[in-house]
Amino acid sequence: MRAMKSLLFSISLLLSLNASVMAQPSEVTATVDKNPVMADESFNLTVTANDDVDRSAFDPAPLLKDFVVGRTSVSSQTQMINFNTTRTTTWNTVLIPRKPGRFTIPAFTVDGQQTQAIPLMVVPVSASNSSQGREIYITTELDVSEAYLQQQLRYTVKLFLAKDLQRGSLANPTLANADIRQIGKDKEYNEIVEGRRYRIIERNFAIIPQQSGTFTIEGPLFEGEVIDNTRQSFGFFNRSTPVNRVGANHQITVLPIPANYTEHWLPSDFVQLHEEWQGDSSQYHAGEPITRTLTLTAIGVVDEQLPAIKSQYPANVKTYPDQAENVTVEKDNNLVAQRKESIAIIPSEAGTLVIPEVRIPWFNILTKKTEYTVVPAKTLQILPATNQQSVPTPAAPAANADSLAIPLSTTKNETALLPTQQSNATFWQLISAALGALWLLTLLAWFWHSRTHKKSNNTPVPQSEHKNSSHSEQRKQLNKALAQSDSRAIQALLPSVLAEGCGQANLSLSQALQLLQDEALSLEVNRMLAAQYSKTPAQWNAKQLSLLLQTHLNKKNPKTGSSFNLKPLYPSQS
């Protein structure tokens, strides 16, 4: 029994020593499945080690210089025949050459063992007479070979399929330091090329280089599986064959910004500036907001490249710009960028208002010259504020009743009044005289009553009682608007209330604030207006505005001697 144990121990020790000897492979080989290969098709590189070695022992990085390196799969296999155990480790890497020529797949060192280098011939696609090699291929097209910095390049990729596609993915082209984005959706159509029908998938890209110099745009890589009708199918399951294709490369020269160009850099072949005015330009009033919208449109750029629209306005208007809206859309295989700016303009006085022109520079990539898109100056006629009463037009003096009844003289062509007409004239004269007498009696009665009423009443009645009552009602409405933070109602009531405080009538809001010369009040009113006309949320304090108004509205009116007595917005609790 002890001898049996000793024998088994010796056998296990021998097997472990044999395994330690086999820990390193005695041979590593490298092979390719195609040679020569076409410039746009894939081939497989297989590296095999005759032992179970670490899966990370093979590194395909040296191949990146001349090939597109696809996925690498690793498999291990163990066989035992007549107590003889063999182990193998296999790496399979997909490679795609980018250009024709003679290349060498270098030797690889795997766990201390080295493979043999493999010379490889890559032939152009046109040199191949094999129809099998042209069942799937990719073409690429670039609209220009020379462009300016940040100019849009139009890049088109077409995938030609003569077999049914089961699955697949098409990567984007690559260019260092560039913004690459797909434009639109994929297009699918059929076309006959050299007597063979192809299903074509077309994809368009916009490439915007961000660095000047000479670069290579590397074509996109297609990886997929096509249905192989030459192999036997089982039931409803079709066999598929993996395929890989790559598009051709393109050289591009990116020119820098011209040395003598000093404006904002905007390379395009079309730029336009457009303006819109809200409402009827013949009905603009002082103190009322006017909305102006400026839209800048450029083709072949993204919205980040658009400059701010620098519009200027006279000193007698207040402006409240809204936050700009930027957007980039796709149209006709082009990028179209837009910037929209809206400004609320409030003229402070009536009269002629001249808005200066707006000028935006841009670089025309077709003419290679600096151009300008211009919105010309605009003249507006501003009407008086709506709270100002226009001076009534004097009526024509009434004609004398006698002159209407009997002409002073008659010419030969005029017919003399008939007796009936003379009697009618006399009748109307009597009526007019009676009415005049009644009017005189009424006037005397009113004079006597007013004298009597003055003597009996010790409290004098102000002549502006009616006016004060109307202003009192406006102040009540203003208190209510302040309590509710109703900026529109406050804006409507402030001009007339402040005008009374200044001892004047028919003032606009801007004129009244100018007469009061209170910077804090003007600032708070401007904050209120900015919050009202801006689309973005803005803060203003109704309580602060009420406190600032009390300083002026509780003063005596210089003409009437009355005070406004504006109630506090937030009275203290006693």
Side-chain angles (χ1 to χ4, degrees), residues 175-375:
L175 174 63
N177 297 317
D179 179 9
I180 301 176
R181 62 180 71 186
Q182 182 179 345
I183 301 179
K185 298 181 179 179
D186 291 348
K187 300 177 184 177
E188 293 192 24
Y189 53 91
N190 294 322
E191 190 174 301
I192 296 178
V193 180
E194 296 180 357
R196 170 171 286 188
R197 180 179 294 276
Y198 288 91
R199 174 191 172 197
I200 301 176
I201 300 176
E202 180 179 331
R203 184 175 293 179
N204 293 281
F205 294 90
I207 303 177
I208 302 178
Q210 303 294 334
Q211 184 178 356
S212 59
T214 301
F215 306 97
T216 298
I217 301 177
E218 297 182 351
L221 173 64
F222 171 75
E223 296 179 299
E225 293 183 2
V226 295
I227 298 175
D228 190 354
N229 296 324
T230 61
R231 299 186 180 184
Q232 184 179 2
S233 301
F234 298 92
F236 295 100
F237 299 96
N238 293 323
R239 290 184 176 271
S240 60
T241 302
V243 292
N244 297 274
R245 296 291 185 270
V246 66
N249 295 344
H250 288 275
Q251 294 289 327
I252 181 68
T253 300
V254 182
L255 302 175
I257 301 174
N260 58 351
Y261 191 85
T262 58
E263 306 288 352
H264 178 88
W265 181 244
L266 185 63
S268 177
D269 51 10
F270 177 82
V271 177
Q272 185 183 50
L273 183 63
H274 175 69
E275 71 171 352
E276 292 181 359
W277 294 84
Q278 183 186 38
D280 186 3
S281 60
S282 62
Q283 299 295 325
Y284 293 152
H285 293 267
E288 296 183 359
I290 308 168
T291 301
R292 183 194 194 190
T293 302
L294 294 168
T295 304
L296 178 63
T297 304
I299 293 180
V301 297
V302 294
D303 56 271
E304 291 88 351
Q305 297 176 246
L306 297 178
I309 304 174
K310 297 180 180 179
S311 53
Q312 299 180 350
Y313 300 91
N316 59 343
V317 301
K318 293 185 180 296
T319 57
Y320 301 94
D322 202 356
Q323 187 173 0
E325 299 177 6
N326 295 331
V327 65
T328 301
V329 297
E330 303 163 0
K331 186 176 182 182
D332 300 332
N333 292 335
N334 282 299
L335 295 175
V336 181
Q338 275 194 345
R339 179 182 178 89
K340 183 179 291 186
E341 295 185 6
S342 295
I343 306 104
I345 305 170
I346 303 180
S348 60
E349 57 188 25
T352 301
L353 178 61
V354 179
I355 306 297
E357 71 173 12
V358 183
R359 180 181 294 262
I360 301 293
W362 61 286
F363 186 80
N364 192 323
I365 60 176
L366 301 178
T367 62
K368 302 185 185 324
K369 294 181 180 179
T370 304
E371 297 186 8
Y372 295 87
T373 176
V374 180
V375 168

Side-chain angles (χ1 to χ4, degrees), residues 402-424:
D402 294 339
S403 63
L404 290 175
I406 303 175
L408 296 178
S409 60
T410 58
T411 62
K412 294 180 180 180
N413 296 330
E414 294 175 343
T415 306
L417 291 176
L418 299 177
T420 55
Q421 292 175 320
Q422 293 180 359
S423 60
N424 287 338

